[in-house]
Amino acid sequence: MPHEAISVFEIFKIGVGPSSSHTLGPWRAAQRFIESLYKQERLFQIQTIRVLLYGSLAKSGKGHGTDIAVQLGLIGADPVTIPVDSIDARIADILAMKKLILHGLHEIDFNPQEDIEFLVTESLPFHPNALTFLASFNDGSLIAETFYSVGGGFVVKEGEETIGQNAIQLPFPIDKADDLLHWCRTTGMSISEVVMENENCWRTEEETRVGLLNIWQVMKDCTYRGCHTKGMLPGGLNVTRRAADLNKKLLGDLTYNNYDEWLEAIRSGGNDFKYTLDWVSCFALAVNEENASFGRVVTAPTNGAAGVIPAVLHYYVCFCNGNIDEKILQFLLTAAETGSIFKKGATLSAAMGGCQAEIGVSSAMAAAGLTEALGGSQRQALMAAEIAMEHHLGLTCDPIGGLVQIPCIERNTMGAIKAITASQLALQSTPDFAKVSLDTVIKTMWDTAKDMSFKYKETSEGGLAVHIPISLPEC
Ligand code: SF4
């Protein structure tokens, strides 16, 4: 049976908020579409482009910036490198000039208000997050290509049978948690060591280490920035950012000049339960307020859930003496493999599985990573992931106004705390006595996803989204 191979860098991706499936995925789809035409030497023959957004992308795409993302993708901007503070100006420019410079090279007429259509009553059968690019050429020909944003920033083009870097044969193929445990048992290696051996098929170990530490650096920058930025979030819901005020309240008169001094200041406050709890919330709020503001974040495994892993990692660094590169690498490798198993056995897409697929999975990933970093066994790490997901089963997705703000931002604080609790429970338990395995909870999550009403799958047609009008001030 073929095994899908997913690298740690497909689970952790540097990008721009607010949504991996509604922003990052469509952005990547637009990039792929235009790059492919460039490679076919057809870019300069393009006369017009239209973009059709279907299903969940149409219903909550405005709040998630899907239209912004496709324009940026079409002009050739990259979500990893674009200066995020330039986005507003570039989009305003396109609207004012009614021009798009495709791939940064070829100018066409383009009116985003007419040429990007939100088809809210139409869906395509393969996946709720679908978008089609239509291009006409100066010889009169037309092409249409459809892409699906299947969660976590992963994109599949219609007709493609496989996704990701899965043409590769890994030494330790893993589809399920049981496979992972099997390799750990037969080799005596930890989860992170097994994962690193697989990663060695794509690049050198040193390159993986550097790449992962860069992922951690982006998480640190994002957390620090979020803890020091006040104001109102965009989108019309008038949500006030809270992380900066909480940061100030917790640190009082302590002064610092940079990230490292900030960490020292946090550590100097001790580890009283309420103090620790407040910090975990503060870290998570900070990242997701950045995400909601089109800031740079690490998709982990999605943007809406981007705060859980940085919050738990900062908990580990600040309150468990974990500021050690080796331990951070263990955490990230173990967390990534856990996310990959969820992707293979269920979904990372809220449009398919509700919020259990986002916050639930990120919490399970963080729980497994933290458990390995704290010295737990492989079985304890997988047990922690199971516990974290077990208590997110059935969690719905109903963002108010289609914005990744309410309930999303606070929900990251909950996901982080559940991850820490799940890890502690697993570390204090004997996995032999566990009644539910990680594979069983993944199957249960997928069954629950299939049973869940479409209203709770990132459509903003149910739950909080229909009870709180967007015109109200912050609730
Ligand atoms: S409710 Fe959960 S799944 Fe839905 S957008 Fe918010 S964080 Fe993502």
Side-chain angles (χ1 to χ4, degrees):
M1 193 175 153
H3 296 271
E4 186 183 358
I6 299 176
S7 162
V8 57
F9 294 110
E10 292 180 276
I11 296 293
F12 293 128
K13 296 183 279 287
I14 298 168
V16 175
S19 168
S20 46
S21 57
H22 288 55
T23 318
L24 185 59
W27 191 325
R28 289 291 186 208
Q31 278 183 301
R32 277 184 61 180
F33 175 70
I34 214 67
E35 267 169 27
S36 146
L37 291 174
Y38 176 68
K39 283 184 189 148
Q40 294 168 44
E41 300 185 356
R42 300 193 74 192
L43 181 77
F44 294 98
Q45 282 84 56
I46 297 174
Q47 279 194 327
T48 64
I49 284 202
R50 280 176 59 222
V51 186
L52 308 179
L53 304 176
Y54 296 92
S56 177
L57 289 188
K59 286 173 180 162
S60 60
K62 282 221 169 77
H64 290 74
T66 307
D67 48 344
I68 293 173
V70 295
Q71 292 173 70
L72 292 170
L74 289 171
I75 63 172
D78 191 276
V80 177
T81 53
I82 187 172
V84 288
D85 48 12
S86 73
I87 290 176
D88 284 352
R90 294 178 85 161
I91 292 300
D93 210 35
I94 293 169
L95 183 61
M97 306 300 291
K98 306 272 189 293
K99 300 275 185 201
L100 206 57
I101 304 179
L102 297 173
H103 208 43
L105 295 169
H106 174 53
E107 185 175 281
I108 61 165
D109 292 335
F110 186 85
N111 181 351
Q113 290 167 334
E114 291 172 2
D115 294 322
I116 302 177
E117 287 188 55
F118 292 79
L119 303 171
V120 290
T121 57
E122 292 181 39
S123 285
L124 300 188
F126 177 70
H127 194 281
N129 295 334
L131 68 168
T132 299
F133 296 92
L134 303 160
S136 69
F137 297 87
N138 53 17
D139 62 1
S141 61
L142 298 166
I143 63 161
E145 289 187 358
T146 296
F147 293 81
Y148 299 95
S149 177
V150 296
F154 288 86
V155 172
V156 185
K157 188 176 164 188
E158 193 160 65
E160 278 180 346
E161 289 177 357
T162 57
I163 58 170
Q165 305 172 32
N166 47 8
I168 207 158
Q169 180 60 46
L170 300 179
F172 302 119
I174 296 161
D175 290 326
K176 297 181 166 204
D178 271 356
D179 299 332
L180 174 57
L181 210 48
H182 165 76
W183 296 122
C184 291
R185 277 202 188 101
T186 52
T187 61
M189 290 195 281
S190 66
I191 293 176
S192 60
E193 287 169 337
V194 168
V195 181
M196 184 61 98
E197 286 296 319
N198 279 345
E199 293 297 315
N200 288 344
C201 291
W202 282 294
R203 66 197 82 77
T204 66
E205 184 165 328
E206 185 53 23
E207 286 168 337
T208 299
R209 294 168 67 89
V210 169
L212 282 174
L213 291 175
N214 186 43
I215 291 283
W216 172 225
Q217 186 61 48
V218 175
M219 288 181 179
K220 290 195 286 189
D221 292 345
C222 178
T223 311
Y224 188 70
R225 218 171 36 246
C227 280
H228 297 87
T229 307
K230 290 174 176 250
M232 204 80 90
L233 295 175
L237 201 50
N238 297 330
V239 174
T240 305
R241 295 176 71 134
R242 283 180 289 178
D245 284 341
L246 184 52
N247 177 74
K248 200 165 178 349
K249 199 167 160 186
L250 290 168
L251 289 177
D253 296 333
L254 288 173
T255 56
Y256 50 91
N257 297 303
N258 54 44
Y259 174 85
D260 290 329
E261 290 178 17
W262 177 61
L263 281 196
E264 281 313 313
I266 295 169
R267 283 201 199 97
S268 71
N271 55 7
D272 168 77
F273 179 73
K274 279 195 278 185
Y275 180 75
T276 307
L277 191 60
D278 278 343
W279 273 114
V280 173
S281 293
C282 189
F283 300 140
L285 292 175
V287 172
N288 287 83
E289 287 170 1
E290 281 296 294
N291 182 61
S293 311
F294 290 82
R296 172 142 291 123
V297 298
V298 174
T299 303
T302 66
N303 281 25
V308 172
I309 286 175
V312 176
L313 265 170
H314 275 99
Y315 159 78
Y316 178 63
V317 162
C318 293
F319 301 106
C320 308
N321 292 320
N323 202 10
I324 304 157
D325 283 354
E326 209 54 45
K327 290 286 181 183
I328 302 293
L329 293 169
Q330 281 180 19
F331 186 120
L332 290 174
L333 287 163
T334 302
E337 190 59 44
T338 306
S340 168
I341 293 170
F342 271 99
K343 183 174 186 313
K344 292 170 189 170
T347 180
L348 303 182
S349 165
M352 293 291 276
C355 199
Q356 54 177 355
E358 290 208 13
I359 296 289
V361 173
S362 63
S363 186
M365 291 168 64
L370 179 63
T371 305
E372 171 156 337
L374 286 171
S377 68
Q378 300 94 327
R379 293 180 71 205
Q380 284 173 319
L382 298 181
M383 183 181 184
E386 184 285 312
I387 294 170
M389 174 49 76
E390 188 176 319
H391 304 288
H392 282 95
L393 285 174
L395 192 65
T396 58
C397 169
D398 52 2
I400 298 174
L403 298 164
V404 192
Q405 297 179 11
I406 301 174
C408 319
I409 296 172
E410 280 180 3
R411 200 164 272 182
N412 279 262
T413 69
M414 303 297 152
I417 290 299
K418 281 192 197 177
I420 295 167
T421 308
S423 175
Q424 276 307 120
L425 267 174
L427 287 166
Q428 300 293 353
S429 303
T430 307
D432 289 341
F433 301 124
K435 299 287 184 205
V436 185
S437 71
L438 179 55
D439 285 328
T440 302
V441 91
I442 292 173
K443 181 179 181 328
T444 308
M445 175 199 150
W446 184 226
D447 289 345
T448 308
K450 287 186 282 187
D451 289 340
M452 193 182 278
S453 163
F454 77 93
K455 287 195 293 185
Y456 303 114
K457 295 180 180 177
E458 212 164 7
T459 57
S460 288
E461 291 183 2
L464 287 172
V466 295
H467 291 296
I468 310 291
I470 195 162
S471 55
L472 280 184
E474 187 187 8
C475 52

